Amino acid sequence: MSLSNYSASLIRYPDLGFSLDTSLMDLDASWLEGMSGKIEKAFVDLQKLEAGEIANPDEGRMVGHYWLRKPELAPTDELRAAITGPLAALKEFAVKVHGGEVAAPGGERFENLLLIGIGGSALGPQLVNDALGHDSQLNIHFFDNTDPAGIDRTLAEIGQTGLSRTLVLVVSKSGGTPETRNGMVEAKAAYDAAGLDFGKHAVAITGEGSKLDKFADEEGFLAKFPMEDWVGGRTSVMSTVGLVPAALQGIDIDDFLAGAAAMDEETRKADAGTNAAMRLALAWHAAGNGKGEKDMVVLPYKDSLVLFSKYLQQLVMESLGKSEDLDGNTVHQGIAVYGNKGSTDQHAYVQQLRDGVPNFFATFIEVRKGRDGDTIEVEPGNTSADYLQGFLRGTRKALYESGRKSITISIGEVNPFTLGMLIALFERAVSFYASLVNINAYHQPGVEAGKKAAATFLDLLNAVRGRLTADPKNAAEVAYEVDGDPEDVYHCLNHLAANGEVQIALGDTPEGDTFSL
């Protein structure tokens, strides 16, 4: 570790208060030179993507999340209007909600927000809320799973009397995503039970003509905002998906978009020596030998960024986890991402990072400013912020001394602008890395396969329900009747028993268990 190596390995954007330090990644100059052809191609690939080239041939669609913070990049007037029009409309809607012009049927002002979504449709707003929503004008809650106990807990937090003052955002591009649909059905049932008109409390964020779009019309939703097919869920936080809830919370969405646009501007430059997103992608490539051989551990040293590692988990793993490359070769690409926060996890899994299996590289997120306002010394000469910085620097050094490499990203403070910067940085790094390893970052066949498998299981579950009688049957007998796999049938029966639909009599083994009405 030396200051000269640090200086040579640092990319910083002083106007943005941002820096990227890869001095502890030991990037070899000759290796970087050998990557020059792939680097040039990656710059060209991203230029084509931003110009509107079909980037997802599976679905025949463009990928336009970069346009969201700079609409003039969109290749047609129609696409530009699809960005600027909804942005103006959602700002106007938020003003009306805050001013009480849009209110609950009894005239009460909305005080709570319930967002119903799954994946990026919930995770992006959750990150923004956790990082920036501390003084929100509306208290936000989430249905982000089809777990009935979780739904009940959230409804209990809102309270039955609070439902009348709760605005519901239902977020689903197709309107057919099971988890989101289930959450909406559960929410509507809660409103119905309270004698409230669900539609008069609801807003849809969905694709034009979708099932949800039609349902919103039927139920008389307060408003609808569009989800475009050229924005994927994991990159949707700067679309209506993230901006509607953020604006309703009173978060400065203009600054949020401006931060992303500023980082885009810097990382759009085709200069590998000064492009932080390209440097990040190259560091990932070097660490994992271009095959994801090392995990990425994300350690933000700030409580407000605790969800950032989870957010990056979806962005990176859903984008890069692919079985085939663009030429159809089986490659099984990806980078596993996990993490939590510093310094908390120095008392948890950092022990393994330091002394255990060296199968990772770390990404530290440094926030230079400790707190707003005055501070105190927790011991003579030192503040809590001094300790946080000491733990970051000490852990970084200790890991390197043990042969563990790391990246350090630094920002001045957490605000809408800097959060926008961080998200944009990693979005472009993912795009660059995908090009470097020749995969498609913008489709998700594995996710679709999981959805199909779940639908198959549900079909089997309903078939099993129809074969149960008062006479006990074991899984093999029911499987024969429904022409199903006996183990799958057993899990169906066990599920029904756990939820009180059938009785179970335990045998010596699962094969001997019997089920009856």
Side-chain angles (χ1 to χ4, degrees), residues 69 87 90-91 94-95 98 128-129 131-138 237-239 242-261 414-421 423:
R69 48 262 197 172
L87 180 59
L90 71 88
K91 287 181 179 179
V95 168
H98 297 156
V128 171
N129 171 62
L132 307 173
H134 312 303
D135 298 310
S136 294
Q137 298 199 37
L138 298 179
V237 70
M238 293 179 195
S239 72
L243 298 183
V244 171
L248 287 168
Q249 289 179 270
I251 293 167
D252 191 334
I253 61 174
D254 288 330
D255 264 9
F256 184 50
L257 293 168
V414 178
N415 57 38
F417 188 90
T418 56
L419 184 63
M421 283 196 317
I423 292 172

Side-chain angles (χ1 to χ4, degrees), residues 470-494:
D471 296 326
K473 297 179 182 179
N474 61 31
E477 291 170 328
V478 178
Y480 177 78
E481 293 178 9
V482 300
D483 192 24
D485 178 270
E487 182 183 340
D488 289 341
V489 168
Y490 177 80
H491 292 306
C492 289
L493 292 166
N494 210 37

Side-chain angles (χ1 to χ4, degrees), residues 42-58:
F43 282 129
V44 172
D45 285 346
L46 199 44
Q47 288 170 2
K48 291 179 179 178
L49 183 142
E50 288 193 318
E53 184 177 89
I54 297 297
N56 194 341
D58 293 12

Side-chain angles (χ1 to χ4, degrees), residues 74-378:
T76 68
D77 290 340
E78 181 182 12
L79 287 170
R80 285 188 282 275
I83 299 167
T84 57
L87 180 59
L90 71 88
K91 287 181 179 179
E92 182 181 357
F93 181 74
V95 168
K96 289 180 177 179
V97 170
H98 297 156
E101 186 178 343
V102 173
E108 294 179 290
R109 291 197 181 206
F110 288 115
E111 297 176 358
N112 304 308
L113 196 59
L114 173 60
L115 189 148
I116 303 173
I118 191 73
S121 295
L123 188 51
Q126 285 171 328
L127 169 66
V128 171
N129 171 62
D130 215 50
L132 307 173
H134 312 303
D135 298 310
S136 294
Q137 298 199 37
L138 298 179
N139 299 314
I140 192 167
H141 305 266
F142 296 89
F143 285 179
D144 66 346
N145 197 2
T146 189
D147 174 11
I151 290 170
D152 290 346
R153 185 171 63 247
T154 299
L155 289 173
E157 290 171 357
I158 295 171
Q160 189 169 24
T161 57
L163 281 180
S164 66
R165 300 185 300 279
T166 299
L167 183 65
V168 181
L169 301 182
V170 187
V171 187
S172 175
K173 188 181 294 184
S174 68
T177 305
E179 297 94 335
T180 304
R181 180 206 58 217
N182 294 355
M184 183 178 69
V185 170
E186 293 266 10
K188 186 177 184 304
Y191 276 83
D192 290 346
L196 299 170
D197 186 336
F198 179 68
K200 296 297 186 289
H201 294 77
V203 173
I205 303 174
T206 189
E208 185 177 352
S210 72
K211 294 178 182 177
L212 176 56
D213 187 41
K214 295 172 183 175
F215 182 77
D217 287 339
E218 293 168 4
E219 294 291 319
F221 277 26
L222 290 170
K224 297 188 301 182
F225 296 97
M227 279 181 81
E228 305 296 342
D229 67 357
W230 37 265
V231 178
R234 57 192 175 277
T235 55
S236 65
V237 70
M238 293 179 195
S239 72
T240 53
V241 171
L243 298 183
V244 171
L248 287 168
Q249 289 179 270
I251 293 167
D252 191 334
I253 61 174
D254 288 330
D255 264 9
F256 184 50
L257 293 168
M263 181 57 71
D264 283 345
E265 193 65 28
E266 294 290 348
T267 56
R268 191 172 286 121
K269 299 171 183 175
D271 178 1
T274 61
N275 189 310
M278 178 58 79
R279 176 72 62 83
L280 206 54
L282 288 166
W284 299 350
H285 194 293
N289 196 29
K291 299 175 182 178
E293 293 173 358
K294 294 287 180 74
D295 300 342
M296 184 194 309
V297 180
V298 181
L299 293 168
Y301 274 64
K302 206 65 175 177
D303 286 358
S304 59
L305 292 178
V306 67
L307 286 183
F308 195 54
S309 56
K310 186 177 179 181
Y311 182 83
L312 292 181
Q313 192 172 64
Q314 182 188 26
L315 175 65
V316 174
M317 295 178 71
E318 190 170 353
S319 298
L320 303 181
K322 303 297 160 63
S323 62
E324 295 183 351
D325 66 13
L326 292 173
D327 299 320
N329 302 309
T330 299
V331 291
H332 297 299
Q333 276 287 355
I335 300 175
V337 180
Y338 63 93
N340 204 323
K341 68 179 179 180
S343 64
T344 301
D345 289 291
Q346 289 178 217
H347 301 270
Y349 62 74
V350 170
Q351 166 61 35
Q352 177 170 314
L353 300 185
R354 175 65 171 77
D355 295 336
V357 184
N359 62 342
F360 71 94
F361 63 96
T363 301
F364 293 95
I365 311 291
E366 175 192 22
V367 180
R368 300 188 192 93
K369 185 176 181 180
R371 62 155 47 108
D372 293 325
D374 297 333
T375 194
I376 64 168
E377 293 183 351
V378 293

